[in-house]
Amino acid sequence: MTRMTHNLLGGPPPTELPDNAAAREALEGGVDPVEVAARHPEYPGAWAALADRAFDAGSVIESYAYARTGYHRGLDQLRRSGWKGHGPIPWEHEANRGFLRALHALGRAAAAIGEDAEAERCRSFLRDSSATAADTLNNG
């Protein structure tokens, strides 16, 4: 469903990624994120799920690697969707959540290994992209 969005501040319009229903439904149905990433390597949500699982298990470097993969896969999709390097990426659009979760996970892992500049860049990028995502992910 396409929504009309009016940006009263004159900035770029929100970017909404296309849904990957097969990958999303597999994750929602409890399929292991390893399997989802293997079948749908372009799906940032699978990489974000792997990053979260690795971080929760204390495997920070693995979490960083998974998050970086999801982040870059998401950037590729954003660019193909017309994103020009800035502007809103709404959390409210379900298909954007994988990228936003990967971005959050990358910042979290960067902070855990002392990569402070990268952690701050990720925090700022997340907040600039979606304040709702930043609030949800930082308080979740």
Side-chain angles (χ1 to χ4, degrees), residues 89-130:
I89 306 166
W91 173 261
E92 294 78 7
H93 181 68
E94 181 76 29
N96 290 348
R97 290 184 182 185
F99 168 74
L100 295 166
R101 286 180 51 231
L103 175 57
H104 173 261
L106 180 58
R108 178 185 60 203
I113 63 173
E115 193 178 4
D116 297 333
E118 176 75 347
E120 182 53 38
R121 185 188 67 76
C122 290
R123 277 191 295 273
S124 294
F125 186 7
L126 182 62
R127 171 111 359 236
D128 291 346
S129 298
S130 171

Side-chain angles (χ1 to χ4, degrees), residues 67-100:
R68 175 131 339 253
T69 300
Y71 167 78
H72 281 287
R73 290 305 200 131
L75 284 177
D76 292 343
Q77 290 178 16
L78 284 165
R79 289 181 186 115
R80 284 192 303 270
S81 295
W83 186 73
K84 304 291 187 213
H86 65 285
I89 306 166
W91 173 261
E92 294 78 7
H93 181 68
E94 181 76 29
N96 290 348
R97 290 184 182 185
F99 168 74
L100 295 166

Side-chain angles (χ1 to χ4, degrees), residues 7-82:
N7 187 339
L8 300 176
L9 300 178
T15 302
E16 294 184 350
L17 295 176
D19 187 26
N20 182 334
R24 179 179 43 77
E25 290 169 4
L27 276 181
E28 289 171 354
V31 175
D32 189 315
V34 170
E35 291 180 40
V36 178
R39 282 190 236 143
H40 304 278
E42 74 289 350
Y43 185 60
W47 298 106
L50 288 167
D52 288 345
R53 184 164 74 183
F55 193 86
D56 290 345
S59 300
V60 177
I61 297 300
E62 289 84 350
S63 178
Y64 184 96
Y66 288 134
R68 175 131 339 253
T69 300
Y71 167 78
H72 281 287
R73 290 305 200 131
L75 284 177
D76 292 343
Q77 290 178 16
L78 284 165
R79 289 181 186 115
R80 284 192 303 270
S81 295

